[in-house]
Structures are given as C-alpha cells and as structure tokens.
Amino acid sequence: VGKVRFDISMSIDGFIAGPNQTLEEPLGEGGEQLHEWVVRLASWREQHGMSGGETNADDEVVRELQDATGAHIMGRRMFSSGAGPWEDDPKADGWWGEEPPFRGPVFILTHHPREPVTKQGGTTFTFVNEGIEAALEQAREAAGDKDVLVAGGADVIQQSLAAGLVDEFQLHVAPLLLGGGVRLFDNLPADRPSVELTRVVGSPAVTHLRYDVVK
Amino acid sequence: VGKVRFDISMSIDGFIAGPNQTLEEPLGEGGEQLHEWVVRLASWREQHGMSGGETNADDEVVRELQDATGAHIMGRRMFSSGAGPWEDDPKADGWWGEEPPFRGPVFILTHHPREPVTKQGGTTFTFVNEGIEAALEQAREAAGDKDVLVAGGADVIQQSLAAGLVDEFQLHVAPLLLGGGVRLFDNLPADRPSVELTRVVGSPAVTHLRYDVVK
C-alpha cells in the first residue's frame, strides 16, 4: 500500500508563496522564483505537455515523485486559485486548463458540493465535502499501490500533519528569501511529529530534503 | 580580509530556539534537540575543553568554522542568557563559565556600558554601545584576515542581514519540528538579499546548507 506524502518547494525562510497573493499572481510577490528550478526540467515539461528540458539530479527527483504518485489531494484555493466559489466565477478552475498536469485522480477539499469533472490527459477532479480524512480515504482507494500526494495549500498540508496522516515529506528548498507570505509549517499541534532525515540531494538550484514521519 | 557570516542550527520549521524560553531553559522547550548533532562531535568537545567525540562530515564542518572564525558578535541576551542587566544579577554571565568556548575576541551589543572582561582560554568580552555597525567594525579589526561570526541571537542576525553586512551564512538544519519559538528569518526588510547556494553537506543528524549573499 502506498504512502501519504507532501512534496513542496519552500524558500529558505519557510514560505511556499510570497506576500500579497492575487488571482493574477497566485504565488504572491516573488513566489514564482520558488519554482524556477522545476519548470525547466524535462520531467516537469513532459507532465505539462511540453518537450525538451533539462535532465539532471533534480529531474530524477521529480520523475521519481511523478512515478510514485497515484492520486492528489488539494484544497479549494489551490484548485480554484483563490477565485472563490466556482458557481460565481467561470474562470475559477481555468488556470489548470483543459489538460491539467495531474494525469490521475485529484480530490478537492471543499464545503461546496459539485459534480466530478473529467479533463483531458487522465485528470479527474472529485469534490469531497467531509474533510481531510474522507478525502484521504478516497484518494488511497484511487491510488492503489501508489502514493497519495497532499499537493497543498499550506492549510491542507498542516491539517494532514496535525491529523497524523503524513508518512513522508520532501522539501525542495529554493535559495531564496521571500520575507513574507504563506508559511508551510504553521499551526502545528503541541504533539508535533518526530521526523527522520532519509535523503538529501540537489543542485545549485535547489536542495531536496526528504523526511519520514516517525509513527 | 575575512567575511562576515552567521552559522546556526535551525529546525525544519525555521526556529533557532523552542517556545517558552527561561533562564533555566534558554533554548526553550525542545530547543536542546537543535544542538544534539554538534555536542557529540570531537571539534565541539575540544572547543569546550573536553576530549573524545565523533569525527565525521559534521565534525569537519564545525572544525572549518572554528578555524575560519577570528571574532564573534553577539547580542546581550545571548551573552547573559536573558538574565537582564548584569549589574543586577551576579549569575548573568555565568553560563558561559570561566573558560568560554569562543577562544578569541567577542563583541557584545548592549545599551549598558561595561568594562571589557578577559576570561581563561583566550576569550575576551568587549561591550559595544553604538550598534551593529560599530560592533562589526571592531570585530573586523580584531579578526584580522579571519571571519567575523555573528553568533546570535536571531535579532542580531536579522539586524546584520537588514543592514547588508552579511557575506555568507550556513544553516545547520536539524530534523526536527519545534512548532514555535524564535524564528531565525523574521522582520526581513522589503529589499531582502538575494542568495546563492554554495554547498550542501551533512549526515542523517543534520544538513548543512551554505549560502552566499549576493551583493
């Protein structure tokens, strides 16, 4: 059976998005820089329907993650890019496009019931109204032997950690100080989890730190 | 001429001390765990007047730092362990002991004038009342060709970064979530510095990430 993990780019000062997020700039001021390392990789470009790109140690890390992932969980804001309830905004799920990069089942935590959506390239969006545990149960089932990736945002990752649901995580630490924005590790419970470092790899562009959560 | 640097142990969630710091527990709840990786090393033990200890990649990192450092700068609270003005508390500089581990000139940022103190083993404590730039000037002079280490606390490191005085820094990321306490990167200025990753080394106990500040 697969693991539950998160895998996310973080600045040195602990932010996964910069300050002043808007619909036009969903990653906040400077937040795009968090992902500069990944958008030039062959694995990432392939996932997004593009050819070419770099193949290196970072690319292997991304390809490994892609191969391991059987289902995604994400929050409503990550899905809709902060546009509010989809009913009111026709652009609200627009930025993932007609062929989203997930290429498998995606479970979205939301209070708004909505019918599942099937996109091109294998992505299905299923909307879960009963909270993180229910979403995880459905994602596990859908992932089979593969892993469930808690894709974000920070609040969903924090909920997963707090509920003791995360088996493993990997931080892609970008050489960057954002100075403000959305902190990855915030609102941790008093009985915060113990972790073990299991791998460090990287390049001048990014450091990949992988940890097991000790159960 | 030497560099100005800081070199500090930090939790995965960005803290250099845990919550609820007291005189008895100056590193806060759980904060001792930040330093578990270092206290067992031969280099650290030697610096603290003890024999034995491990020699490994982490030990080489610490020895390199010791060899490079010609002077230290620290804040009043790091010096006195939060005990308040020394005039009122005879134990206030007690915890560094009669033979402090700095073994060279230390410049302490404080609003309280005080005569310099010479300790055993080469440590001198000089008290600077004119702010971080003045302390740095004196420390540079004292360090000669070696580096000035901004030892802490977080507020002094933040001041140094904000004033554009830091050339290089190294984070010793301990596999640990503290959930609260003293954040290293806080109160950064809007024109926060750009950095470049220059080295990653480590062990299962800790990851050493070294960055240059781009001037």
Side-chain angles (χ1 to χ4, degrees):
Chain A
V1 67
K3 294 177 178 177
V4 177
R5 62 201 300 169
F6 62 90
D7 241 87
I8 197 157
S9 293
M10 184 179 89
S11 66
I12 301 171
D13 49 348
F15 296 102
I16 62 167
N20 305 318
Q21 293 173 284
T22 61
L23 184 56
E24 287 70 34
E25 206 173 30
L27 293 168
E29 290 167 16
E32 294 282 341
Q33 295 171 79
L34 287 166
H35 302 284
E36 278 176 6
W37 69 273
V38 74
V39 297
R40 59 197 193 203
L41 301 178
S43 53
W44 190 90
R45 292 180 56 86
E46 185 181 318
Q47 190 181 15
H48 289 74
M50 295 180 281
S51 60
E54 297 174 19
T55 54
N56 54 23
D58 298 330
D59 188 57
E60 282 170 35
V61 166
V62 171
R63 205 169 284 279
E64 174 189 64
L65 175 66
Q66 291 170 346
D67 291 346
T69 300
H72 289 75
I73 292 179
M74 68 177 64
R76 182 193 63 78
R77 274 179 301 185
M78 182 172 175
F79 172 70
S80 66
S81 182
W86 315 280
E87 291 80 0
D88 301 331
D89 188 336
K91 295 198 311 180
D93 59 0
W95 76 293
W96 292 117
E98 281 311 302
E99 187 174 338
F102 308 105
R103 305 189 181 282
V106 180
F107 297 87
I108 293 137
L109 281 166
T110 174
H111 296 296
H112 298 265
R114 184 174 172 180
E115 289 300 304
V117 177
T118 299
K119 294 284 192 174
Q120 295 168 29
T123 297
T124 58
F125 290 123
T126 303
F127 301 87
V128 181
N129 309 131
E130 300 85 15
I132 183 77
E133 306 244 11
L136 184 63
E137 196 174 318
Q138 293 184 48
R140 271 189 194 282
E141 178 110 355
D145 286 342
K146 291 196 170 187
D147 293 350
V148 175
L149 184 70
V150 181
D155 53 341
V156 177
I157 290 175
Q158 288 160 17
Q159 281 180 49
S160 306
L161 265 178
L165 302 174
V166 175
D167 299 307
E168 184 177 303
F169 60 91
Q170 187 165 228
L171 305 176
H172 312 287
V173 182
L176 169 70
L177 294 166
L178 280 173
V182 180
R183 283 196 194 277
L184 175 59
F185 293 110
D186 217 345
N187 311 307
L188 291 180
D191 59 337
R192 57 202 175 277
S194 293
V195 302
E196 281 174 7
L197 179 67
T198 57
R199 190 180 69 182
V200 178
V201 289
S203 74
V206 65
T207 312
H208 312 280
L209 305 177
R210 200 178 64 187
Y211 298 92
D212 271 353
V213 176
V214 181
K215 301 278 178 171
Chain B
V1 67
K3 294 178 177 177
V4 178
R5 60 203 297 171
F6 64 89
D7 241 87
I8 197 158
S9 294
M10 184 179 91
S11 65
I12 300 171
D13 48 350
F15 296 101
I16 62 167
N20 304 318
Q21 292 174 286
T22 62
L23 186 55
E24 288 71 34
E25 206 173 28
L27 292 169
E29 291 167 15
E32 294 282 342
Q33 296 172 78
L34 287 166
H35 302 282
E36 278 176 5
W37 69 274
V38 74
V39 298
R40 59 195 193 203
L41 301 178
S43 53
W44 190 91
R45 293 179 56 87
E46 186 181 316
Q47 190 182 16
H48 288 76
M50 297 179 280
S51 59
E54 297 174 19
T55 55
N56 54 24
D58 298 330
D59 188 57
E60 281 169 36
V61 167
V62 171
R63 205 170 286 277
E64 175 189 63
L65 176 66
Q66 291 169 346
D67 292 346
T69 301
H72 289 75
I73 292 179
M74 68 178 66
R76 183 194 63 77
R77 273 180 301 185
M78 183 172 174
F79 174 70
S80 66
S81 183
W86 316 281
E87 291 80 0
D88 301 331
D89 187 339
K91 294 197 310 179
D93 60 359
W95 75 292
W96 291 117
E98 281 312 302
E99 188 174 337
F102 308 106
R103 306 189 182 280
V106 180
F107 297 88
I108 295 137
L109 281 166
T110 173
H111 296 293
H112 298 267
R114 185 175 173 181
E115 289 299 307
V117 177
T118 300
K119 294 284 193 174
Q120 294 170 30
T123 297
T124 58
F125 291 122
T126 301
F127 303 86
V128 182
N129 309 131
E130 299 85 15
I132 184 78
E133 307 243 11
L136 183 63
E137 197 174 316
Q138 293 185 49
R140 270 189 196 281
E141 178 110 353
D145 286 342
K146 293 196 169 186
D147 293 350
V148 175
L149 184 71
V150 182
D155 53 344
V156 178
I157 290 174
Q158 288 160 16
Q159 281 179 49
S160 306
L161 267 179
L165 302 174
V166 176
D167 299 306
E168 182 178 303
F169 61 91
Q170 187 166 227
L171 305 175
H172 312 288
V173 182
L176 168 71
L177 294 166
L178 281 172
V182 180
R183 283 196 195 279
L184 175 58
F185 294 110
D186 218 345
N187 310 309
L188 291 182
D191 58 337
R192 57 201 175 280
S194 293
V195 302
E196 280 175 7
L197 178 68
T198 56
R199 190 181 69 183
V200 178
V201 288
S203 73
V206 65
T207 311
H208 312 280
L209 305 177
R210 199 177 64 187
Y211 300 91
D212 271 353
V213 176
V214 181
K215 300 278 176 172

